[in-house]
Amino acid sequence: MREIFMVAYTLSILAAVGAVALTALVFRRVKRAGEDRDPGGPSASHAGAMLSAMFLLVFAIAIIVPWTTADAARLNTHAESQAAVDAYWAAAELPGSASEEVRRSLREYVAFVVRDEWPLMAEGRMHPVGGERLDNLRARVTALETRDDEETDAKANVLEHLSALSTARAQRTADAAARPPDGLLFLTILTGVLVIIFPFLAGARPRGLAILPLVATAALIGFGTYLTWDISRAFDGPLAVGPDAFRSALDEFARIAGGM
């Protein structure tokens, strides 16, 4: 499927270039058409404006996509940690020693996420043991034998919160692996380079202080392009989502345990 899209993109570019070439050929045969060699003429001005607009469009997408992904990932970590806290509260009603066993497993799971799993998420992957820990906990709760309706309701309540915890973990897995669309960084670099060198391609030859605006523009475009690469992962870079919500959950566990 990706190859089909790449072929479609290539054909669309070739079609656009062909349309420009055909139009130029047609108007070259019109006697009234004059040469436009001025760097500030209508051809250069139009092309420069379109290149700038294209760069701004691609740059905006390259910034907005990781930004919204990181924002959604941050909200999801709060939902996941809250599900763990809710399960911790609900476990108090489980029969026998199951209450403390489930609570201990929840503490170990959340501590494992903060200590061992979070560094791997910066690389776009999850620790396989995390999913196994959560699956084993759900299996143990499912296997609990209850003696009355209250214990049955408590078991169902814990399983409901564990299901929400598992769902949020699956979303965190997707967030960790999420990156901007393929080719977006390349397109950002390409359009940025074209914006920088376009005045020279159009025939302008700035000298002295006149070249300073181009140097400043090149520096800002270079910084912006690097920024789009640096924020491409939700759990790495300047916008990185931290494990603050899970640390808060551990504090909440300690508070609940101390108040019992």
Side-chain angles (χ1 to χ4, degrees):
M1 184 64 68
R2 183 176 300 176
E3 290 75 10
I4 295 176
F5 284 131
M6 291 303 297
V7 171
Y9 295 152
T10 303
L11 290 177
S12 65
I13 294 173
L14 292 177
V17 172
V20 173
L22 180 61
T23 303
L25 179 63
V26 169
F27 277 89
R28 183 178 294 274
R29 295 180 178 276
V30 178
K31 300 301 182 181
R32 291 174 297 177
E35 296 288 339
D36 182 17
R37 299 179 180 274
D38 184 5
S43 298
S45 298
H46 176 70
M50 292 303 297
L51 277 176
S52 298
M54 179 60 70
F55 170 74
L56 290 175
L57 174 63
V58 174
F59 180 72
I61 295 174
I63 291 292
I64 291 173
V65 169
W67 190 289
T68 54
T69 300
D71 191 46
R74 185 174 291 103
L75 292 176
N76 183 67
T77 60
H78 287 280
E80 184 176 358
S81 63
Q82 186 59 48
V85 172
D86 291 340
Y88 196 88
W89 272 110
E93 304 298 327
L94 292 176
S97 61
S99 173
E100 182 54 36
E101 291 176 2
V102 170
R103 286 187 162 186
R104 183 179 65 253
S105 296
L106 284 169
R107 289 194 300 268
E108 291 174 351
Y109 171 76
V110 173
F112 170 83
V113 170
V114 173
R115 181 185 63 251
D116 299 319
E117 193 164 54
W118 218 267
L120 297 179
M121 289 161 55
E123 304 172 5
R125 56 196 182 95
M126 302 282 282
H127 201 299
V129 175
E132 294 176 3
R133 283 173 176 257
L134 192 55
D135 290 342
N136 291 337
L137 177 57
R138 293 178 69 182
R140 292 202 306 272
V141 175
T142 301
L144 283 177
E145 294 184 358
T146 56
R147 296 165 295 184
D148 52 38
D149 291 342
E150 289 185 0
E151 292 181 354
T152 300
D153 291 341
K155 174 182 174 180
N157 198 18
V158 172
L159 286 175
E160 180 181 354
H161 294 309
L162 290 179
S163 177
L165 181 61
S166 180
T167 300
R169 176 183 173 80
Q171 182 59 52
R172 180 160 55 89
T173 302
D175 292 336
R179 301 200 68 175
D182 293 339
L184 185 60
L185 178 61
F186 171 76
L187 194 57
T188 305
I189 296 173
L190 177 61
T191 54
V193 170
L194 289 176
V195 168
I196 294 170
I197 68 174
F198 179 78
F200 300 96
L201 295 178
R205 296 295 181 266
R207 294 290 187 273
L209 294 178
I211 204 171
L212 291 181
L214 289 177
V215 173
T217 300
L220 290 175
I221 289 177
F223 172 76
T225 302
Y226 170 78
L227 181 63
T228 62
W229 172 80
D230 200 24
I231 65 174
S232 60
R233 291 197 181 277
F235 297 96
D236 188 31
L239 298 179
V241 179
D244 298 339
F246 290 87
R247 292 195 180 103
S248 297
L250 289 174
D251 293 339
E252 186 71 6
F253 291 165
R255 186 191 69 81
I256 296 171
M260 295 299 293

